[in-house]
Amino acid sequence: MELKENKINWYTRTVKDVTQYFNVDSSKGLSSKEVKTRLEKFGPNQLKESKGRTVWDMFFDQFKEVLVLILLISVIISIFLGEAGDAIVIAVILVLNATLGVVQEFKAEKSLAALKKMTVPDALVMRNGKPTKIKSNQLVPGDIVLLEAGDRIPADLRLFKVTDIKVQEAILTGESEPVEKNSNALEQDKIPLGDRKNMAFMGTTIIAGRGEGIVVATGMDTEMGEIAGMLEEGKREPTPLQQKLNIMGKKLGLLILMIVAIIILLGCIRGIEFFDMFLIGISLAVAAVPEGLPAVVTIVLALGVQRMIKKNVIIRQLPAVETLGATTVICSDKTGTLTQNQMTVKILALPDKTIEVEGEGYQPFGQFYHSSRTIQPSDDLTISLLLKGAVLCNNAILQQNSDNQQWEIIGDPTEGALVVTSAKAGYQKKGLENEYPRIKELPFDSDRKRMSTIHRSPEESFIVFVKGAPDKVITQCKYYMENGKQKEFDDSAREKVFEQNKKLAASALRVLALAYRKLNDGEENGLNQKLKNEDIENDLIFLGLMAMIDPPRKEAIHSVDTCRKAGIQPIMITGDYSLTAKAIASQLGIYHSGDRIITGMDLENMTQEELEKVVLNTTIFARVSPRHKRRIVRALQKNRQVVAMTGDGVNDAPALKESNIGVAMGITGTDVSKEASDMILMDDNFSSIVAAVEEGRKIYQNIKKFIQYLLSCNLGEILTIFCAILIGLPRPLIPIQILWVNLVTDGLPALALGLDPAEEDLMNQMPREPDEAIFSGKMGFNIFSQGIFIGAITLVAFILGIRNYSLEIGQTMAFATLSFSQLWQSLNSRSPRLSLIKLGVLTNRYLILAILISGSLQLGVMLIPTFQQIFKVLPLNGYQWTVVILLSFSPIIYVEILKLFGLTYKK
């Protein structure tokens, strides 16, 4: 990449130079007043978006459909043949159709824009002297950004505090190897991006370590912004569902055009003028093909997305809405999703005693009890070291929210529980970190399952604190503390601790082990070099176990029950012990007697084929690593399951991408997991997934409803004309009447069906098959049987009119019967199973309003003299209106009878 000469090469500047340039104290950050000034000067931290489609773009796009172009040609031909009246009416209807399309697309664009606005990622910064979470678009040059593994870099940063940071920069450099970072100024000028070791660039991802950086460029001034400025506007791609519907429309169009060609040929053979048959044929083509269907689908999906936002679900991809309705398995993390995410330490299990801790949530107040007596933790050396280690080997922060004065945790909830517990004993994080400054950190990872930090003690020696999974820490320990004295950690003592851990885990408690040791002189001298993990994390002194609980969410119990009734299998996937997982899963109703539990060790010893055979009988996967999740997803998919998988960590990203629906956590999730997901839970709540599945089912059912409605009505129009000409009758409808029917029936009622409320037993139905065709479940039969019926009654009305009165009366009766019968048909399309009586006629107020508006417009055409002349209709007498009303209402009776005998749905 070429370097701009006018850009400051921040990587050559010292940290002091950079802080002075931006006039910022790296320990306090910027003040709110200064941020406001800089935001006005530099603007928001966001890339300029390509110019969106204007209303005029949307309007003219409505005329790009092939059949609409054919209709435009017919307008031109009509003018040349002197039929100006017909041409004007057809042109007006075309404009109205285009306007309706613009309104639909504009609503969809607004819905998607609102969604995009809500998905702006967060950044953790120092503002006014304390850590503050903000939207990344509010970053300004000079901001101090706090970074952890899993974060996506929100702007271009000059790093000044680095603890083992590795950054994946493939998005900028194309190199797959992560880059190790430091804070040292570079001497060489004009070097490639990949060699700027002290810089972190917008859009890249931290995969390990933690640190801090100063924002040196935002928005279009970043390296990413420079690339964005070179990019051309991308092509708008239709969703898979839209593509499927477009293919269906084209196939239907070819079939209908063949019928139209036959109609024109038959009409000409019978001596009807070619121009009249040409207009009828073209009008039929436009009326019969649901060219507006993709737009209707888009707006229904987009409105569904908006409804999901109110249910704390952000859908990142519209097609995910469709897939949600077919979900058969929900693989959920335990912590925070099925539970309250308010970890609270209940027990300190030392080798020689057990301490009970009183207090709930994040309140830093409570008592410590031993044998029902209150104790002071600072009086016991082992407890004191345990609690100090819990705070120092920890990256969480306990603070009061400035808005509501509630205590909150910034960072990992489990780490937060340790900080809160220590605070209850009087050990404040800030004071301890000043007393024991951190020298080095070995971050937690999913393979070691532990974290270590090295600190300088007040005696000027160095001390290591280690915390992590008990089995991973205990195996590294050589000694333990008892009554303040160091003892050999023999097999008997070790077995006793393992037994303590087992009992705690069986009580649904999450257990962490803590240990420590002092570094010897040789190790202290090697601190400036790269000491390996095994050099530090060995010969440890075991301090004790800290057991905490994260209670199940009350609403999750109901949601799990809903899943079961809906044919959806909930599966718990956790890094906890199987005993802990089983206790929580049993409370929630996920685990039942006879269900299988598979551990990470079991998975390691299983082939993928073996896993595929047992995965459907397994409700708990315990002690698994993120890479196991991917295997679980694949095994479920091999069994034809549609899988929703939750995740919040960096390493969860592959499983989220592999699953049919990747679900990221909005509160605890990393940016990497959010980017890999299809949907984000704003409240990290399992119940929100279930609510989204229900919404997805409803949306898919509604899409099928208006497809059936449109196609059955269009088929009725085709058959009316085709059969009349086939049996030698005059044309029952003229072009203007056909186009009017198309406008009235394809517009408001179809859209209103997309807003139909869910059936009461929707979540008691089994999930649909993932590869289910649109016409499945007797939908094809319903379209043809109901379309034939509408065509037949329209033809009956026409024949009664021409036999007893005149051609004009017959056409008027056919026109009225076709229009009103299609409005009644919209009620039939609400459910293939349930009768209108059970559904309730008034339960979809949007549809009733659409029928009233469309019916009023049709009556206006029939009764107002000016419109009677334009549409060439005659006033009808009482008998004729009686025939029209009875015939147009008959589809209701016909379909209700079919439903009664179970002919409209697959049993």
Side-chain angles (χ1 to χ4, degrees):
M1 179 181 293
E2 292 184 10
L3 295 165
K4 291 185 178 179
E5 294 296 327
N6 59 346
K7 291 181 76 172
I8 298 175
N9 294 329
W10 298 108
Y11 51 87
T12 64
R13 305 296 179 92
T14 65
V15 173
K16 184 179 180 181
D17 289 339
V18 178
T19 53
Q20 286 180 347
Y21 182 90
F22 287 105
N23 192 24
V24 61
D25 183 336
S26 61
S27 63
K28 296 181 179 179
L30 298 173
S31 66
S32 298
K33 182 179 178 181
E34 183 62 25
V35 168
K36 185 177 179 181
T37 302
R38 296 189 186 191
L39 197 57
E40 290 174 357
K41 180 179 179 181
F42 296 102
N45 176 40
Q46 59 191 27
L47 302 180
K48 288 182 181 177
E49 297 183 14
S50 56
K51 186 180 178 182
R53 298 168 74 220
T54 65
V55 173
W56 285 111
D57 291 333
M58 296 180 189
F59 183 79
F60 288 117
D61 282 347
Q62 307 301 316
F63 295 90
K64 292 180 180 179
E65 295 287 338
V66 175
L67 293 175
V68 176
L69 290 173
I70 293 173
L71 192 57
L72 280 173
I73 293 171
S74 72
V75 171
I76 297 170
I77 294 173
S78 298
I79 293 172
F80 275 111
L81 294 177
E83 298 287 342
D86 286 348
I88 291 171
V89 172
I90 294 171
V92 169
I93 291 175
L94 273 175
V95 171
L96 288 174
N97 262 322
T99 303
L100 180 61
V102 169
V103 170
Q104 291 171 344
E105 286 198 31
F106 187 69
K107 284 183 178 179
E109 294 284 341
K110 282 185 68 177
S111 299
L112 293 173
L115 172 62
K116 191 169 185 180
K117 186 177 180 181
M118 292 196 68
T119 57
V120 176
D122 293 331
L124 187 63
V125 299
M126 288 295 293
R127 292 263 179 97
N128 303 306
K130 63 180 182 179
T132 307
K133 186 175 285 189
I134 64 169
K135 294 297 181 185
S136 63
N137 59 7
Q138 297 300 301
L139 282 171
V140 296
D143 256 324
I144 305 299
V145 181
L146 311 181
L147 305 167
E148 287 198 0
D151 289 348
R152 189 178 65 182
I153 307 298
D156 283 2
L157 310 177
R158 169 63 166 89
L159 300 173
F160 67 89
K161 203 178 271 188
V162 176
T163 304
D164 298 330
I165 286 183
K166 290 184 179 180
V167 179
Q168 176 57 263
E169 296 182 341
I171 191 172
L172 282 176
T173 65
E175 296 295 329
S176 58
E177 278 297 311
V179 179
E180 290 190 15
K181 297 292 183 177
N182 59 56
S183 60
N184 302 324
L186 301 174
E187 295 181 4
Q188 189 177 353
D189 202 358
K190 297 184 180 180
I191 59 176
L193 287 178
D195 294 333
R196 302 175 193 176
K197 304 290 188 181
N198 55 19
M199 297 290 294
F201 303 106
M202 174 190 271
T204 60
T205 305
I206 298 180
I207 63 169
R210 58 193 291 269
E212 298 178 25
I214 304 171
V215 175
V216 294
T218 58
M220 295 302 289
D221 293 327
T222 63
E223 296 294 336
M224 187 66 73
E226 188 174 335
I227 295 173
M230 302 175 188
L231 296 177
E232 296 179 356
E233 183 178 356
K235 186 180 179 182
R236 293 161 55 89
E237 293 293 334
T239 68
L241 181 61
Q242 285 178 317
Q243 291 173 347
K244 191 185 296 183
L245 294 173
N246 281 331
I247 292 170
M248 180 194 74
K250 287 176 181 178
K251 288 181 178 178
L252 285 172
L254 288 174
L255 177 63
I256 291 164
L257 285 174
M258 289 173 61
I259 297 174
V260 168
I262 294 171
I263 288 174
I264 293 175
L265 182 62
L266 286 174
C268 291
I269 292 173
R270 293 189 58 245
I272 301 176
E273 290 186 15
F274 174 80
F275 175 71
D276 290 342
M277 292 310 304
F278 171 77
L279 280 182
I280 289 175
I282 294 298
S283 301
L284 270 178
V286 175
V289 178
E291 67 275 357
L293 198 56
V296 177
V297 170
T298 299
I299 190 171
V300 169
L301 290 175
L303 290 173
V305 166
Q306 288 295 341
R307 288 194 297 271
M308 288 188 188
I309 288 174
K310 295 177 182 177
K311 297 178 181 179
N312 294 314
V313 175
I314 294 176
I315 300 293
R316 298 187 66 246
Q317 301 291 336
L318 276 182
V321 178
E322 175 195 2
T323 312
L324 271 168
T327 300
T328 59
V329 176
I330 300 177
C331 296
S332 176
D333 289 325
K334 176 175 70 68
T335 305
T337 309
L338 291 167
T339 58
Q340 296 177 16
N341 202 18
Q342 287 276 325
M343 295 298 295
T344 307
V345 172
K346 290 293 186 183
I347 292 175
L348 308 180
L350 280 62
D352 59 333
K353 62 174 74 74
T354 299
I355 309 298
E356 295 180 10
V357 185
E358 181 191 74
E360 296 291 336
Y362 293 149
Q363 298 292 325
F365 315 107
Q367 298 290 329
F368 294 78
Y369 297 92
H370 174 54
S371 299
S372 302
R373 291 185 296 105
T374 305
I375 64 166
Q376 186 60 39
S378 58
D379 294 339
D380 188 297
L381 178 61
T382 307
I383 300 176
S384 178
L385 278 170
L386 177 70
L387 294 178
K388 285 181 179 180
V391 173
L392 293 169
C393 188
N394 198 314
N395 291 325
I397 298 171
L398 174 66
Q399 67 177 29
Q400 272 187 301
N401 187 296
S402 57
D403 295 327
N404 55 25
Q405 298 303 306
Q406 294 293 313
W407 290 95
E408 62 182 9
I409 292 294
I410 294 180
D412 182 76
T414 300
E415 289 197 321
L418 304 184
V419 174
V420 171
T421 305
S422 298
K424 291 174 182 176
Y427 294 114
Q428 301 299 326
K429 186 176 178 67
K430 192 170 183 179
L432 277 178
E433 286 181 338
N434 289 334
E435 189 178 356
Y436 294 85
R438 185 182 293 187
I439 306 301
K440 187 177 179 65
E441 174 187 336
L442 302 179
F444 177 91
D445 65 53
S446 56
D447 293 323
R448 286 168 41 248
K449 286 188 168 65
R450 57 181 177 263
M451 168 188 177
S452 300
T453 54
I454 303 174
H455 303 264
R456 186 188 300 275
S457 71
E459 295 81 23
E460 293 299 315
S461 60
F462 292 92
I463 187 170
V464 179
F465 285 105
V466 181
K467 80 167 190 297
D471 57 334
K472 297 292 186 180
V473 173
I474 293 170
T475 53
Q476 302 298 113
C477 293
K478 191 175 182 180
Y479 309 98
Y480 73 98
M481 295 286 287
E482 183 176 300
N483 295 322
K485 295 180 181 180
Q486 181 177 309
K487 293 188 175 183
E488 191 81 22
F489 206 14
D490 57 22
D491 290 342
S492 175
R494 199 182 301 269
E495 186 59 36
K496 182 181 177 182
V497 173
F498 275 124
E499 190 61 33
Q500 279 182 314
N501 177 55
K502 187 176 180 180
K503 288 181 179 179
L504 293 170
S507 302
L509 293 166
R510 170 175 288 186
V511 186
L512 288 178
L514 280 97
Y516 87 108
R517 77 178 179 91
K518 294 180 179 179
L519 295 184
N520 57 44
D521 294 340
E523 289 172 325
E524 290 184 11
N525 294 332
L527 271 180
N528 292 327
Q529 303 171 6
K530 289 188 176 179
L531 286 177
K532 296 180 180 179
N533 297 348
E534 55 266 28
D535 295 331
I536 295 174
E537 297 173 338
N538 62 7
D539 295 339
L540 300 174
I541 303 168
F542 179 73
L543 290 171
L545 304 174
M546 297 184 75
M548 63 201 79
I549 189 168
D550 181 11
R553 291 179 182 266
K554 293 179 182 178
E555 64 272 23
I557 299 173
H558 171 72
S559 296
V560 168
D561 182 57
T562 301
C563 281
R564 295 284 188 185
K565 291 177 180 176
I568 300 169
Q569 180 181 351
I571 295 177
M572 177 186 287
I573 299 181
T574 177
D576 274 349
Y577 284 93
S578 55
L579 289 172
T580 308
K582 181 180 176 181
I584 294 290
S586 297
Q587 291 180 49
L588 289 166
I590 292 176
Y591 176 85
H592 295 88
S593 179
D595 290 350
R596 187 161 185 163
I597 300 174
I598 293 179
T599 67
M601 187 67 74
D602 296 331
L603 281 171
E604 289 293 337
N605 296 323
M606 274 185 182
T607 65
Q608 191 64 18
E609 290 73 21
E610 289 171 337
L611 177 59
E612 290 165 8
K613 291 178 182 177
V614 299
V615 70
L616 292 180
N617 298 320
T618 306
T619 53
I620 297 174
F621 289 91
R623 301 299 288 165
V624 297
S625 65
R627 61 191 177 87
H628 290 142
K629 283 188 173 184
R630 200 172 183 184
R631 288 188 62 193
I632 296 167
V633 169
R634 287 176 174 174
L636 287 166
Q637 290 174 334
K638 195 75 173 178
N639 282 277
R640 291 178 52 78
Q641 301 299 307
V642 178
V643 185
M645 170 68 77
T646 69
D648 56 6
V650 179
N651 292 337
D652 289 328
L656 294 179
K657 276 198 167 183
E658 191 89 21
S659 63
N660 302 93
I661 296 288
V663 184
M665 302 296 109
I667 300 173
T668 60
T670 60
D671 287 337
V672 176
S673 63
K674 292 174 185 176
E675 285 297 321
S677 70
D678 299 291
M679 59 183 272
I680 300 170
L681 303 182
M682 291 187 283
D683 57 356
D684 291 10
N685 195 336
F686 178 83
S687 298
S688 298
I689 307 175
V690 181
V693 170
E694 182 174 6
E695 189 68 34
R697 286 190 176 191
K698 183 180 84 170
I699 288 170
Y700 185 79
Q701 280 197 353
N702 287 350
I703 288 172
K704 292 191 69 171
K705 288 175 187 179
F706 63 67
I707 289 175
Q708 177 185 322
Y709 169 63
L710 290 173
L711 295 187
S712 61
C713 291
N714 292 347
L715 182 61
E717 296 169 23
I718 285 281
L719 292 176
T720 299
I721 305 294
F722 183 75
C723 292
I725 294 175
L726 195 64
I727 61 179
L729 294 175
R731 59 182 183 178
L733 299 164
I734 61 175
I736 293 176
Q737 293 171 347
I738 295 170
L739 290 168
W740 175 257
V741 170
N742 187 39
L743 177 67
V744 171
T745 58
D746 279 9
L748 294 176
L751 190 55
L753 278 171
L755 302 174
D756 208 34
E759 296 176 6
E760 288 184 3
D761 64 343
L762 181 64
M763 291 302 281
N764 291 332
Q765 301 171 19
M766 292 297 103
R768 64 179 172 87
E769 292 293 328
D771 53 355
E772 177 186 283
I774 289 179
F775 295 113
S776 64
K778 290 200 173 182
M779 183 171 163
F781 168 79
N782 292 337
I783 290 171
F784 278 98
S785 63
Q786 293 166 32
I788 290 170
F789 189 85
I790 290 171
I793 61 173
T794 304
L795 205 55
V796 168
F798 176 62
I799 292 172
L800 288 175
I802 61 173
R803 292 274 174 89
N804 298 322
Y805 302 98
S806 65
L807 174 61
E808 289 76 12
I809 290 294
Q811 289 176 332
T812 302
M813 291 177 67
F815 178 41
T817 301
L818 181 64
S819 297
F820 289 118
S821 67
Q822 291 189 1
L823 295 179
W824 289 118
Q825 173 64 7
S826 65
L827 292 172
N828 285 331
S829 302
R830 290 188 60 196
S831 174
R833 298 184 306 112
L834 303 178
S835 71
L836 274 176
I837 296 172
K838 190 167 184 178
L839 274 175
V841 177
L842 302 177
T843 49
N844 185 345
R845 63 182 185 274
Y846 300 108
L847 183 57
I848 298 302
L849 182 62
I851 290 172
L852 289 174
I853 293 173
S854 299
S856 299
L857 291 172
Q858 180 65 28
L859 284 174
V861 168
M862 300 290 296
L863 301 176
I864 299 173
T866 303
F867 291 117
Q868 286 177 343
Q869 292 177 9
I870 293 173
F871 287 90
K872 296 180 178 145
V873 297
L874 296 177
L876 301 180
N877 60 33
Y879 171 77
Q880 293 159 355
W881 270 113
T882 301
V883 171
V884 168
I885 291 170
L886 290 176
L887 286 174
S888 60
F889 185 76
S890 62
I892 293 282
I893 300 171
Y894 169 69
V895 175
E896 287 292 305
I897 293 172
L898 292 180
K899 288 180 182 179
L900 183 64
F901 289 98
L903 299 176
T904 56
Y905 60 94
K906 190 175 180 180
K907 297 179 181 178

